[in-house]
Amino acid sequence: MQFGIFSVGDVTPDPTTGRTPTERERIKAMVAIALKAEEVGLDVFATGEHHNPPFVPSSPTTMLGYIAARTERLVLSTSTTLITTNDPVKIAEDFAMLQHLADGRVDLMMGRGNTGPVYPWFGQDIRQGINLAIENYALLHRLWREDVVDWEGKFRSPLQGFTATPRPLDGVPPFVWHGSIRSPEIAEQAAYYGDGFFHNNIFWPADHTKRMIELYRSRYAHYGHGTPEQAIVGLGGQVFMRKNSQDAVREFRPYFDNAPVYGHGPSLEDFTDQTPLTVGSPQQVIEKTLAFRSYAGDYQRQLFLMDHAGLPLKTVLEQLDMLGEEVVPVLREEFAADRPAGVPDAPTHTSLLAAKDTPEVTV
């Protein structure tokens, strides 16, 4: 079971002070958060990809390459790589390069993005979002697995005898998660390729998340990749902690009430009751996170969103200390204790390379 954090990289005013960090401050803060994640024993740091204010992470591989040089163990990932508006050729090259620089500590999460204006900025039509995601990933999948590719599709110029460079490290492409909040077509796509499915799991109620994951698991088995229980599932989550739950609620409330994504809507109490958001003590975070298995089954990756809504860096780093010291050790033990033997771990470069080098046994 992998535990980590993901960032959307928003530049949001702190509602308690009125101060907005500069873009440079926010970028440097994201790096500090990643380094802290490794320090406290987390497994994964993932960054989003955005090309519009008020967000800064427009070049995930640049940031992850910098973090790779300053870490030793952390898996470096994306919480969205825009498969719809990025050229699959450039994705293939950028992430293979990052693989080599990070000694294989790389995977990525494909997503369509949820900002409509971004599509025309990159010459695409949001009405073709699903079709773009399907066609572009089909090409990317081949670019990482075939040394020479001939290809023709609808959304980009044809390729003839093309070789993407560098080739994936050790001949093993980065593992891919397909991220979606609401699109069954993306769950189907993940299942078809035998890739991972990551449900954002921060806005929607449990019954919706359950339906999406059950669809992915059933289709994963349908395509012959294993049993439904062996499908590779990841979940998001949002937490804010203090030793006493009352202190956590009091401190986080102004951030929640003014957050760009959910501020000025449901109350904090209603939102925490209806979604995975947990605001309270470390024990409450443990209990709610463990309860995710009741609708997601045994899964492989849990990422938490902790640096959003204008929270100052000092506060986020305090959150990571609590997560690493008080929450994740208990979650590791509890998840491992009840995990069925046939449920695999999250794929890593090491495990994928070992599987590649293991000869198949025919009976």
Side-chain angles (χ1 to χ4, degrees), residues 19-88:
R19 186 181 185 278
T20 303
T22 66
E23 290 180 323
R24 180 181 185 276
E25 287 172 334
R26 189 67 175 97
I27 291 168
K28 293 288 189 177
M30 291 175 68
V31 172
I33 289 164
L35 301 183
K36 187 68 169 181
E38 175 158 286
E39 176 190 322
V40 301
L42 302 185
D43 304 304
V44 183
F45 172 80
T47 174
E49 177 186 350
H50 295 277
H51 299 275
N52 56 292
F55 303 97
V56 292
S58 58
S59 181
T61 52
T62 302
M63 173 172 283
L64 295 177
Y66 181 78
I67 294 170
R70 302 185 62 186
T71 56
E72 297 180 355
R73 187 185 53 79
L74 202 62
V75 174
L76 306 171
S77 188
T78 56
S79 50
T80 307
T81 294
L82 297 176
I83 189 62
T84 48
T85 51
N86 281 310
D87 183 354

Side-chain angles (χ1 to χ4, degrees), residues 162-289:
F162 179 77
T163 299
T165 59
R167 304 304 299 146
L169 178 64
D170 300 320
V172 177
F175 184 73
V176 170
W177 303 79
H178 298 259
S180 180
I181 298 175
R182 61 189 180 276
S183 302
E185 297 91 341
I186 301 304
E188 176 79 16
Q189 182 183 42
Y192 176 80
Y193 289 101
D195 294 337
F197 179 66
F198 188 93
H199 195 280
N200 188 277
N201 197 40
I202 62 175
F203 298 125
W204 291 69
D207 58 347
H208 170 81
T209 303
K210 180 179 180 180
R211 286 194 299 271
M212 291 287 286
I213 292 175
E214 286 181 345
L215 170 63
Y216 161 68
R217 288 187 183 279
S218 66
R219 300 302 288 172
Y220 182 95
H222 168 81
Y223 289 115
H225 301 298
T227 66
E229 294 75 21
Q230 292 172 324
I232 309 299
V233 174
L235 293 179
Q238 295 171 283
V239 300
F240 185 86
M241 295 174 285
R242 287 301 183 205
K243 181 178 180 180
N244 298 310
S245 59
Q246 298 92 332
D247 292 337
V249 170
R250 181 173 57 255
E251 185 176 346
F252 188 66
R253 189 180 299 280
Y255 295 96
F256 176 89
D257 288 346
N258 293 280
V261 288
Y262 43 53
H264 312 289
S267 70
L268 174 58
E269 287 74 15
D270 286 345
F271 203 84
T272 53
D273 181 58
Q274 297 171 19
T275 77
L277 174 64
T278 311
V279 180
S281 67
Q283 184 59 36
Q284 287 174 306
V285 171
I286 291 168
E287 292 172 0
K288 193 161 185 177
T289 304

